[in-house]
Amino acid sequence: MCLIVFAWRPGHAQPLIVAANRDEFYARPSLPLAQWPESPQVHAGRDLEAGGTWLGLGANGRFAALTNIRDPHQPPARRSRGELVASFLTGNLSIDDYLSDVVARSPEYAGFNLLLGNANELWHFNARSMEPVMLQPGVYGLSNAGLDTPWPKLLKARAALSAVLDDPQPERLLALLSDAQTAPFAELPDTGVGLATESLLSSVFIASQSYGTRASTALIVQADGTRRMVERSFGPYGGHLGEVEILI
């Protein structure tokens, strides 16, 4: 994922609301949201190049999602970050134990943010700070830096999420993820990729010939554990490829 905004509200009728965009090269092969045949408890998309995933649901209320940390100067990674999400969803370790393992082996991956949750807790881990944090109730955003780093796209999407929390229907969450307006040059971060690329990446929804938003996902978790997830898939220039909805 390249942008995740979410509301964590323990004790609420809808304790977790997530709206997320996965940005990737269109040429990288992947499968849309589905139940995994070899792990029926998992519902997620799949990266066919490395086998992992970017966001998904597992047994016993498990939720996991990941964003990359943008740094063109970081060394090549030995392992794919998507396996961090997949391993949590397919496993049975507690969040504490799993994060202890992630801390130990995080140098094997390029920079990342990891969200891990269950019915009672939601945790964030940033591979640069190396300190897992149990999140308190609130509305948050993750892009390709730290938690709530105030990039224009994050601020815009987080505010849009807050505005629909009175009635967070999937269509409203997907609508906020479709904003293709780029940020003014003066507001762009400097992550070392050049002004033109910073501008392209500054919109909530990215569309170009070779790289852009591949999937938009809306997740609504009910207090009784019911989870509804809707994913829309896109191709070059934002062409709509399909939609999948699950209710588990």
Side-chain angles (χ1 to χ4, degrees):
M1 310 301 295
C2 279
L3 178 64
I4 309 172
V5 290
F6 58 100
W8 173 234
R9 311 184 291 180
H12 192 277
Q14 297 171 318
L16 180 62
I17 307 294
V18 178
N21 274 344
R22 179 207 180 207
D23 304 327
E24 182 56 86
F25 288 99
Y26 299 115
R28 186 169 181 130
S30 63
L31 292 175
L33 171 65
Q35 186 177 35
W36 286 13
E38 78 283 13
S39 300
Q41 76 276 22
V42 175
H43 293 76
R46 176 164 280 180
D47 170 30
L48 292 179
E49 186 169 302
T53 187
W54 50 93
L55 180 153
L57 305 175
N60 302 314
R62 285 184 176 236
F63 161 77
L66 176 141
T67 70
N68 300 339
I69 293 176
R70 190 187 308 158
D71 179 0
H73 305 297
Q74 59 189 333
R78 296 194 296 273
R79 307 180 70 161
S80 170
R81 291 167 284 204
E83 71 180 34
L84 294 168
V85 174
S87 294
F88 178 73
L89 296 178
T90 57
N92 55 21
L93 289 178
S94 68
I95 296 178
D96 284 349
D97 288 343
Y98 189 77
L99 283 173
S100 294
D101 181 60
V102 170
V103 169
R105 57 192 176 97
S106 63
E108 300 177 23
Y109 304 90
F112 65 89
N113 289 284
L114 186 62
L115 286 176
L116 300 177
N118 57 30
N120 302 308
E121 299 176 357
L122 186 63
W123 288 74
H124 168 249
F125 175 76
N126 178 285
R128 297 294 167 78
S129 68
M130 296 288 286
E131 295 182 3
V133 177
M134 186 170 71
L135 297 178
Q136 299 302 308
V139 180
Y140 298 90
L142 266 175
S143 187
N144 302 114
L147 184 69
D148 285 330
T149 297
W151 289 3
K153 64 191 297 180
L154 186 151
L155 296 176
K156 181 188 289 189
R158 191 179 63 191
L161 175 63
S162 296
V164 302
L165 287 178
D166 60 322
D167 184 23
Q169 298 298 319
E171 190 62 39
R172 301 179 79 186
L173 300 176
L174 292 167
L176 75 87
L177 293 170
S178 69
D179 186 345
Q181 180 66 48
T182 57
F185 282 179
E187 298 178 11
L188 297 176
D190 182 4
T191 62
V193 297
L195 187 60
T197 301
E198 294 285 9
S199 180
L200 172 69
L201 302 179
S202 70
S203 55
V204 173
F205 186 93
I206 300 169
S208 75
Q209 181 178 6
S210 60
Y211 181 91
T213 300
R214 298 278 305 273
S216 293
T217 304
L219 169 65
I220 299 171
V221 178
Q222 304 290 341
D224 65 2
T226 302
R227 297 173 288 177
R228 182 183 182 189
M229 186 153 64
V230 180
E231 179 192 87
R232 287 181 181 163
S233 299
F234 304 93
Y237 298 111
H240 185 237
L241 298 179
E243 180 171 316
V244 178
E245 179 172 351
I246 64 167
L247 182 65
I248 57 174

